[in-house]
Amino acid sequence: MHARRSLAATATAALLLTTAAAGTAAASPAPDSPAPASAEAPGRYLVAGPDTAEERTEIAATGAAVDEVNEDSVVVTAAPGQADAVAGLGHEVTPLPGPGQDGPGALDFPPSDSDYHDYAELTDVVDKTVADHPDIAAKVSVGSSHEGRDLMAVKITSDVATDHDRPEVLFTHSQHAREHLTVEMAVYLLGMLTDDYGTDPRVTEMVDTREIWILPNLNPDGAEHDISDGSYKSWRKNRQPNQGSWSVGTDLNRNWDYNWGCCGGSSSSPSSQTYRGASPESAPEVRQVADFVRSRVVGGEQQITAAIDFHTYGELILWPYGYTYDETGPGMSRDEYDTHAELGRLMAGSNGYTPQQSSDLYITDGTINDWLWGEQRIFNYTFEMYPSSHWGGGFYPGDEIIPRETSRNREAVLDLLGYADCPYRVIDKEDEYC
């Protein structure tokens, strides 16, 4: 998830290599060298006790990633040392079982979860969608991942070859590698917005009056790594090496260039699941998606007016800001906050998620949620999809829930599209702002 239910799993403890020369400067490990045997692999833990956003923020400050927030407990992914630090805050920490596997040697999802789409299968879906609907769907590349995989985008609108003066809406998926259900959400949206065009009046109206951008996987390297040997790794970050450290990866959703690293809502340690990277947009995936969003500024005006970033899990709808507990303040007026909140509540009315400000969970910084609003003035939301808790499958619910849990967001997505021409209409202030 973005701030709460998503985290990276496997990150090894940081180990600095030093040269034997005078001055002992830190050096990067050889790219193909294995991690040292002493490296501590992270695990998942139930932490009993914390019941306020401030307490949850203290837990996140240890470098643990908060996956799930309950009334008086959280679930975290943490290295053993980080789990000890959480216990040192006075909370009861209990290890949880790890994700399952169907056996060694597999190079894909376990057979029991074969309905999930890996990167090659997702590419086939995108290519077929575009081939079957050439008048309303077009494939665009916004860049490539650290390992060279295409960061695909699909533009959906009538007369798709034309750059219309229409409100644009952005849907992003899979910033965090282990959140595979979000890719299925993208697959569902691709089908809904193309196959239902011409037969469903509401879908048809939205495709005729909006330009819709679907980026189905922002972290393909991490997602492929998470399923690479038939055993889910609970991997969160991308696969970019970190200079001077055995720990691999940056948390993409702490790497955005708005209040990056400002407020204790991310970690400076490469071994942390919430490592924010060496600098804002240091992750190539973040930099190139941000460049794409910036490219939609035409004549000084951002054409994208609304967005959803899909994550798992928790069944939540979150809106900015995450970096502060305040509802209003720098960059957020009362009407802007009320518009976010009212539209969030409207969407929650159809999918049954809990609507709230992001920082009601705990403080985060450098997130796409805050960047889209703070830098680009795009009304936007994080959707934390099914399940509501670790006990419902956590990051790895069985593939049988895919149709139910993706279609569950149909009305919410159509609501966002419907208000994209003037989000302030949801608080009856279109005459003032639109």
Side-chain angles (χ1 to χ4, degrees), residues 219-279:
N219 188 2
D221 299 349
E224 290 292 280
H225 176 71
D226 190 53
I227 60 170
S228 62
D229 63 2
S231 175
Y232 289 129
K233 298 178 180 65
S234 202
W235 188 264
R236 170 187 176 95
K237 298 186 283 186
N238 74 351
R239 294 294 297 165
Q240 181 181 10
N242 294 306
Q243 186 173 8
S245 174
W246 288 106
S247 297
V248 172
T250 293
D251 182 346
L252 300 186
N253 207 28
R254 299 297 187 275
N255 191 238
W256 294 83
D257 193 9
Y258 183 78
N259 283 334
W260 177 82
C262 73
C263 308
S266 59
S267 176
S268 62
S269 172
S271 66
S272 172
Q273 308 306 302
T274 57
Y275 176 52
R276 58 178 169 260
S279 60

Side-chain angles (χ1 to χ4, degrees), residues 5 108 240 301 338 409 414 422 425 434:
R5 285 161 182 184
D108 198 348
Q240 181 181 10
E301 181 180 355
D338 289 346
N409 285 312
L414 289 171
C422 180
R425 194 170 67 252
C434 302

Side-chain angles (χ1 to χ4, degrees), residues 93-362:
V93 178
T94 305
L96 291 171
Q101 65 182 64
D102 276 21
L107 297 174
D108 198 348
F109 286 98
S112 59
D113 287 339
S114 61
D115 284 351
Y116 282 96
H117 290 77
D118 64 18
Y119 181 76
E121 292 165 340
L122 173 64
T123 302
D124 288 344
V125 169
V126 168
D127 291 344
K128 186 175 189 305
T129 298
V130 171
D132 289 350
H133 305 278
D135 294 334
I136 62 171
K139 181 180 178 181
V140 177
S141 175
V142 303
S144 59
S145 67
H146 169 74
E147 294 180 344
R149 294 181 175 89
D150 184 28
L151 299 177
M152 298 175 284
V154 180
K155 178 185 178 184
I156 298 177
T157 192
S158 57
D159 188 17
V160 71
T162 301
D163 190 4
H164 300 281
D165 184 17
R166 298 172 176 174
E168 299 186 16
V169 181
L170 175 69
F171 299 107
T172 52
H173 308 254
S174 192
Q175 278 204 79
H176 291 142
R178 63 187 174 183
E179 299 172 15
H180 302 287
L181 184 59
T182 68
V183 171
E184 305 311 312
M185 189 68 229
V187 170
Y188 175 83
L189 292 180
L190 289 170
M192 179 187 89
L193 294 168
T194 57
D195 293 339
D196 293 354
Y197 179 73
T199 58
D200 184 299
R202 197 173 176 197
V203 169
T204 303
E205 180 186 1
M206 292 301 99
V207 173
D208 284 342
T209 60
R210 309 287 188 259
E211 288 191 350
I212 303 163
W213 296 96
I214 299 173
L215 277 63
N217 192 339
L218 270 61
N219 188 2
D221 299 349
E224 290 292 280
H225 176 71
D226 190 53
I227 60 170
S228 62
D229 63 2
S231 175
Y232 289 129
K233 298 178 180 65
S234 202
W235 188 264
R236 170 187 176 95
K237 298 186 283 186
N238 74 351
R239 294 294 297 165
Q240 181 181 10
N242 294 306
Q243 186 173 8
S245 174
W246 288 106
S247 297
V248 172
T250 293
D251 182 346
L252 300 186
N253 207 28
R254 299 297 187 275
N255 191 238
W256 294 83
D257 193 9
Y258 183 78
N259 283 334
W260 177 82
C262 73
C263 308
S266 59
S267 176
S268 62
S269 172
S271 66
S272 172
Q273 308 306 302
T274 57
Y275 176 52
R276 58 178 169 260
S279 60
E281 299 184 11
S282 59
E285 298 87 354
V286 170
R287 181 177 66 255
Q288 290 167 113
V289 173
D291 283 345
F292 166 74
V293 174
R294 287 187 283 256
S295 78
R296 301 314 303 153
V297 176
V298 178
E301 181 180 355
Q302 175 58 258
Q303 303 302 294
I304 302 172
T305 61
I308 296 174
D309 185 41
F310 287 95
H311 288 260
T312 65
Y313 58 92
E315 300 186 1
L316 302 169
I317 294 178
L318 307 174
W319 55 81
Y321 283 124
Y323 81 91
T324 176
Y325 297 120
D326 295 336
E327 293 182 352
T328 62
M332 181 77 76
S333 71
R334 173 48 60 184
D335 282 349
E336 290 163 348
Y337 181 88
D338 289 346
T339 298
H340 273 102
E342 188 59 30
L343 186 50
R345 286 190 283 265
L346 175 68
M347 292 188 289
S350 63
N351 65 12
Y353 291 5
T354 299
Q356 61 191 87
Q357 183 176 338
S358 175
S359 60
D360 289 347
L361 296 172
Y362 50 86

